[in-house]
Amino acid sequence: MTAPEPTGARVRLRPEIAALPPYRQGRPAPADGFKLSSNENPFTPLPSVIDVVAAAAHDINRYPDATALALREKLAERFGVTADEVLVGAGSVALLAQFILAAASPGDEVVYSWRSFEAYPGLATVAGAVSVMVPNRPDHGHDLDAMAAAITDRTRVVIVCSPNNPTGVVVTAAEFEAFMAKVPADRLVLLDEAYAEFVRGDGSADDAVDGATLIGRYPNLVLLRTFSKAYGLAGLRVGYAIGPVELLDAARATAIPLGVTAAAASAAIASLEPVAEAELLERVGVIADRRDRVHAAIAAQGWPVPASRSNFVWLPAGEATTTVAERLFDAGIVTRAFAPDGIRISIGEEESVDILLTILGELVPGSQEGHPQ
């Protein structure tokens, strides 16, 4: 039997998917440069984590535990919930996709702040949902009053990102509590806390919201976190969600089976061991101190940078975004440019700091070498 002759007809695809740009990683850094584009942890993995990953390699001919039960039990003990109230996925972004698919039908709405995590628009589109982007406040934080006002009968999911990626601004505990009082109880709220470990505060209502303190309080709230950033497991893809069983079961139904490898689950468990975690959180402290130092130096140069509580800083370069990003790239600093809004600069190796500050010092708005007014 011969194959039919080509007719020139194109395969029918969903037009919104065909038009959707794929997620793109930041450019790789040159051999002698620094990759500050992906919010990765600059420290190498702990030896104990490397050991368990190597051990897992002996069984890669076998499928992993589909539910990552051992990791779920470890997290359940930590957060005071049952294992059924914990869902593990291939990074928090995979979990976001699962929850949106579970809650939003074609034509339904997903509400989130903008600019925020760049994956949100694509995840909504893939589900057939409509994105409702609520502009950030002038200080680059969420306008939660406007977000609450944007909720309609078609809204099915609301996403709050704190600290916000890419601006680094947090939602305070008081702001979030007031927001939840306005959100209808039948709308799913996803609290995306991928960078929660980098927040340092006093625990007051004026401090950042902490999803761990809200578990069990709201029947429509799911907390999302990841091992990619603070725990340095970005290459293994493992994140988790905590929330009501009914909501997690719905997300489980939308998941691609066996998405979390045995190596990833084992590495996450090893990272939660007391000695290992203490060392990892010490590293987080180093990154946070470096972040504060970089922020203070950039602000002193004259850049209008918002205070960040994450492992990156946001440079609102406006129309000069591409020009500034290219100058940094030429100096060996790879950043993430979101033209025409600004540049997200991850906090990386200590050796990158002087180069970064030198270039930005030459490009301060209004300076002789900087972009024109």
Side-chain angles (χ1 to χ4, degrees):
M1 181 176 179
T2 59
E5 290 293 325
T7 64
R10 301 178 65 180
V11 174
R12 297 181 183 183
L13 301 174
R14 287 171 53 192
E16 67 273 23
I17 298 299
L20 182 67
Y23 178 85
R24 287 185 171 84
Q25 288 183 291
R27 289 185 291 185
D32 58 348
F34 300 95
K35 185 185 177 187
L36 307 184
S37 57
S38 299
N39 296 344
E40 295 160 329
N41 192 312
F43 291 96
T44 56
L46 296 177
S48 59
V49 172
I50 293 175
D51 288 345
V52 299
V53 172
H58 292 287
D59 295 314
I60 59 174
N61 59 311
R62 304 293 184 185
Y63 286 117
D65 173 8
T67 71
L69 178 60
L71 177 55
R72 287 193 295 119
E73 289 176 337
K74 190 84 170 178
L75 290 167
E77 180 182 1
R78 163 161 303 203
F79 288 95
V81 298
T82 67
D84 288 339
E85 293 171 284
V86 181
L87 173 62
V88 174
S92 57
V93 68
L95 294 169
L96 281 161
Q98 292 172 225
F99 282 105
I100 292 172
L101 284 169
S105 301
D108 289 337
E109 295 172 350
V110 178
V111 175
Y112 51 87
S113 191
W114 194 254
R115 177 171 289 276
S116 193
F117 183 31
E118 62 194 289
Y120 295 159
L123 296 177
T125 298
V126 169
V130 176
S131 284
V132 178
M133 299 177 173
V134 179
N136 287 335
R137 301 179 311 223
D139 68 353
H140 306 284
H142 283 32
D143 187 340
L144 291 180
D145 289 338
M147 288 179 65
I151 295 173
T152 71
D153 289 341
R154 297 298 299 169
T155 302
R156 293 295 178 269
V157 182
V158 183
I159 307 173
V160 176
C161 185
S162 180
N164 186 44
N165 177 13
T167 66
V169 180
V170 299
V171 171
T172 70
E175 288 171 341
F176 190 77
E177 183 174 358
F179 174 71
M180 289 300 291
K182 299 175 184 177
V183 177
D186 61 351
R187 314 304 162 86
L188 174 62
V189 178
L190 302 176
L191 179 56
D192 185 351
E193 290 189 304
Y195 302 91
E197 291 84 2
F198 297 95
V199 175
R200 296 186 294 180
D202 58 12
S204 68
D206 291 331
D207 195 26
V209 62
D210 179 0
T213 67
L214 303 175
I215 294 171
R217 183 172 174 185
Y218 300 103
N220 59 332
L221 176 64
V222 173
L223 162 68
L224 298 169
R225 292 190 178 180
T226 183
F227 286 92
S228 295
K229 314 301 182 184
Y231 291 87
L233 301 184
L236 288 175
R237 310 303 302 129
V238 55
Y240 60 95
I242 298 176
V245 175
E246 176 187 9
L247 302 181
L248 269 57
D249 281 348
R252 288 185 179 100
T254 69
I256 296 174
L258 305 165
V260 178
T261 66
S266 297
I269 292 171
S271 298
L272 293 173
E273 293 299 323
V275 174
E277 187 172 36
E279 185 173 351
L280 289 168
L281 294 181
E282 183 178 347
R283 293 175 172 188
V284 167
V286 171
I287 294 170
D289 287 339
R290 191 173 297 158
R291 171 203 66 204
D292 292 344
R293 181 158 47 90
V294 168
H295 174 270
I298 297 174
Q301 290 175 346
W303 289 96
V305 287
S308 174
R309 307 284 288 280
S310 192
N311 68 337
F312 53 83
V313 293
W314 173 247
L315 193 74
E319 295 298 331
T321 291
T322 301
T323 299
V324 174
E326 288 302 319
R327 283 285 301 275
L328 289 167
F329 182 79
D330 291 342
I333 301 290
V334 182
T335 59
R336 195 60 175 267
F338 298 99
D341 297 332
I343 303 169
R344 188 189 67 197
I345 305 171
S346 306
I347 301 302
E349 295 82 355
E350 176 63 29
E351 294 79 8
S352 69
V353 173
D354 286 344
I355 301 172
L356 172 68
L357 297 180
T358 297
I359 300 302
L360 292 183
E362 298 171 355
L363 299 172
V364 177
S367 68
Q368 185 175 1
E369 295 188 56
H371 57 274
Q373 294 279 14

